Amino acid sequence: MSEQQGESTTPEPEIPYEAARDELVSIVAQLESGGISLAETMKLWERGEKLADICQTWLDGARSRIEAAQSEAENRPDSANVTKS
């Protein structure tokens, strides 16, 4: 995908959305199962918080791109009514 002029230049998170989501699901399962030390629980919780932030960054970026595309489509003249010379 090429970057369009005027788009946000916020850097993408270091891992893909799907990888962050899958790791977060795994962490939640580990935390729910219990049987781990408090130190490990805290470590998993902190990693989960970071992964949740990464997922939210991806989702916010996708929402922004969709809104920009919709706005562009609404402001574009109807291409069916434009004749080429």
Side-chain angles (χ1 to χ4, degrees):
M1 231 189 295
S2 63
E3 188 171 333
Q4 295 179 355
Q5 197 170 8
E7 270 189 37
S8 173
T9 56
T10 303
E12 291 184 349
E14 68 268 15
I15 61 174
Y17 170 80
E18 292 81 2
R21 181 202 57 218
D22 292 346
E23 186 179 346
L24 181 55
V25 168
S26 174
I27 286 173
V28 169
Q30 290 176 60
L31 290 171
E32 287 179 342
S33 70
I36 54 177
S37 69
L38 178 58
E40 185 64 19
T41 298
M42 293 307 300
K43 184 177 174 182
L44 288 171
W45 181 270
E46 289 167 356
R47 178 64 179 159
E49 287 287 330
K50 183 174 182 179
L51 291 166
D53 288 343
I54 290 170
C55 288
Q56 191 62 55
T57 298
W58 277 112
L59 294 172
D60 290 345
R63 180 179 295 117
S64 294
R65 289 190 300 273
I66 290 168
E67 289 171 354
Q70 287 174 333
S71 177
E72 184 179 312
E74 290 170 358
N75 294 326
R76 186 175 45 226
D78 187 357
S79 60
N81 295 330
V82 177
T83 59
K84 294 184 179 182
S85 301

